[in-house]
Amino acid sequence: MKKARWLSLVTLASVLLLAACGDKSQEEVIEELDETLQTMSGYQTEATMTMQTGQEPRQYDVEIAHMQNEENRYYRVELQNEDEEQNQMILRNDEGVFLLTPALDKSFRFQSDWPNNNSQIYLYESLIGDILTDTEREFAVEEDRYVFETNTNYQNQNLHQQEIVLNSDDLSPHAVRVFDEDYNTLVEVVFESFTLNETLEREAFDMDANMESEEEGEEPAAVEEEEEDETTFDVLMPSHEPANTELAESEEVETDVGKRVILTYEGDQPFTIIQQPASISAASGTSPTELGYGEPEVLGDVVGVMSEETLTWTSDGIEFIIASDSMESEEMSAVAESMTSTSAK
């Protein structure tokens, strides 16, 4: 059952104040949001996303461009954290869904229905959809904002409830907070700017154009020099392990770019973790690696690639791969996220 928190305590007072203050009723807001969802052609927004899923908060600067028509939907989601060499981009265009890491000259292409499979906390239309579909939603008016509390539809089942705050003048997004079952904040997004129905060109969503744009600076060369010196690294161990599953073997192999560490876990949900230095792709970023079916997956401070039996991501110059034919994707993500904040062994 939904835990209404403080919203249920102020809902009645909010309703009584609506007429006096000139605010819309919940029904009016819902009707306007539904109309916006049906008629908008796209938007641009900048936001800050803070994730509390690890031992320390992880923060992204997020820039989003979205364009849609009767036939297609296009997305460009840029995620920047403190490590500028790790900046990544999720694209959706006519050719598929892409994950780009320009500093490493790496790009992956998926066969995917992203972002339609699950809710996305940083996408306006996803938030509207969560509000419209939750018949048990809570509604309140707080100063010049409308506040909804709704159920969630995120892939991570630890994200139980969310609070969506909209600006009352135009119903643009102001902030989103997602809670665990004890109402601790796990993820928060604060929208710094938002422009609805912005005119955008298709080139803004082109994979080649975005790779070339990001590679104009000196960052790739700096990364390459750093990678040449990368021959060793601290091995990370996951703090989360599936029930009745434990580490059975640890193997270290020397490669051309340094050591490769293979951790083998056995039990009810066996899996393997591979760690190795991430080298800059020798091929041009205009030739993406084809992964078949896959999904971009936010893991702490990076975005990974979730395919049928593997989860791949790069962090601090190290490439990680989790492989299993028995683990659910949610369990695989939990193992990966527990490594991003775990002390080196």
Side-chain angles (χ1 to χ4, degrees):
M1 292 181 61
K2 173 175 293 186
K3 185 177 179 182
R5 293 172 62 242
W6 62 271
L7 283 175
S8 62
L9 301 177
V10 301
T11 299
L12 178 60
S14 299
V15 171
L16 296 176
L17 289 173
L18 288 178
C21 299
D23 290 308
K24 299 180 179 69
S25 67
Q26 178 179 181
E27 291 73 19
E28 290 173 322
V29 174
I30 292 298
E31 183 178 351
E32 189 171 333
L33 286 174
D34 187 40
E35 181 179 358
T36 298
L37 187 63
Q38 300 301 323
T39 61
M40 73 176 181
S41 60
Y43 58 84
Q44 285 188 294
T45 183
E46 295 182 0
T48 300
M49 180 168 66
T50 304
M51 305 189 70
Q52 304 278 1
T53 53
Q55 294 180 358
E56 297 181 359
R58 302 282 185 169
Q59 184 169 296
Y60 286 102
D61 290 328
V62 186
E63 296 183 12
I64 301 167
H66 170 53
M67 182 176 72
Q68 67 181 44
N69 52 43
E70 294 181 356
E71 298 179 353
N72 299 299
R73 301 173 71 189
Y74 305 90
Y75 291 91
R76 184 184 69 217
V77 180
E78 299 180 65
L79 301 119
Q80 304 176 2
N81 58 20
E82 296 178 356
D83 181 4
E84 294 183 358
E85 296 173 356
Q86 191 62 49
N87 292 347
Q88 294 175 290
M89 184 183 302
I90 305 172
L91 288 178
R92 175 173 174 165
N93 56 33
D94 293 332
E95 298 177 352
V97 177
F98 299 81
L99 175 62
L100 312 182
T101 308
L104 297 179
D105 200 17
K106 288 185 179 294
S107 58
F108 301 92
R109 176 160 52 192
F110 317 91
Q111 296 173 3
S112 173
D113 197 32
W114 180 91
N116 302 326
N117 297 335
N118 300 99
S119 297
Q120 308 295 331
I121 190 173
Y122 43 77
L123 297 183
Y124 182 48
E125 68 279 17
S126 182
L127 299 176
I128 293 178
D130 287 347
I131 292 173
L132 296 181
T133 58
D134 186 0
T135 58
E136 298 180 353
R137 59 183 173 261
E138 297 286 345
F139 174 74
V141 179
E142 182 182 302
E143 297 181 351
D144 57 348
R145 300 188 177 99
Y146 299 125
V147 183
F148 287 92
E149 184 175 351
T150 78
N151 291 317
T152 63
N153 184 35
Y154 300 112
Q155 183 169 340
N156 186 342
Q157 297 302 308
N158 291 324
L159 305 178
H160 283 261
Q161 296 290 127
Q162 65 184 346
E163 180 183 89
I164 302 172
V165 184
L166 306 176
N167 296 309
S168 60
D169 56 346
D170 58 2
L171 301 187
S172 62
H174 173 74
V176 185
R177 285 175 284 275
V178 187
F179 311 102
D180 64 13
E181 60 182 352
D182 297 320
Y183 272 85
N184 300 307
T185 301
L186 295 184
V187 186
E188 180 176 20
V189 175
V190 177
F191 293 87
E192 309 293 344
S193 65
F194 183 86
T195 305
L196 188 66
N197 297 330
E198 185 81 350
T199 301
L200 300 169
E201 301 295 334
R202 288 195 180 188
E203 186 179 17
F205 308 93
D206 180 76
M207 194 275 287
D208 294 347
N210 279 286
M211 288 292 287
E212 292 171 1
S213 175
E214 294 293 328
E215 291 169 357
E216 288 178 355
E218 297 297 325
E219 289 181 359
V223 175
E224 183 172 12
E225 180 179 349
E226 183 177 307
E227 293 292 346
E228 289 177 355
D229 295 334
E230 185 70 70
T231 58
T232 186
F233 57 89
D234 292 327
V235 178
L236 294 185
M237 309 289 290
S239 58
H240 171 80
E241 297 176 358
N244 302 317
T245 304
E246 61 183 13
L247 180 65
E249 183 181 1
S250 176
E251 180 183 7
E252 183 174 318
V253 179
E254 288 299 324
T255 71
D256 293 339
V257 294
K259 70 179 180 182
R260 173 184 297 149
V261 177
I262 304 172
L263 306 177
T264 303
Y265 287 76
E266 296 180 353
D268 290 351
Q269 298 184 63
F271 63 96
T272 300
I273 301 175
I274 300 173
Q275 304 175 49
Q276 60 190 11
S279 59
I280 297 177
S281 174
S284 170
T286 59
S287 300
T289 300
E290 300 286 349
L291 291 179
Y293 179 80
E295 294 287 328
E297 182 79 6
V298 177
L299 304 167
D301 59 346
V302 299
V303 180
V305 179
M306 179 76 73
S307 57
E308 186 174 356
E309 295 183 353
T310 63
L311 176 58
T312 304
W313 75 99
T314 302
S315 180
D316 296 327
I318 304 301
E319 181 180 57
F320 298 85
I321 301 172
I322 296 179
S324 176
D325 59 4
S326 61
M327 291 174 66
E328 297 290 336
S329 59
E330 182 181 343
E331 188 74 70
M332 201 176 292
S333 295
V335 172
E337 288 189 22
S338 75
M339 295 182 65
T340 61
S341 58
T342 303
S343 299
K345 182 177 180 180

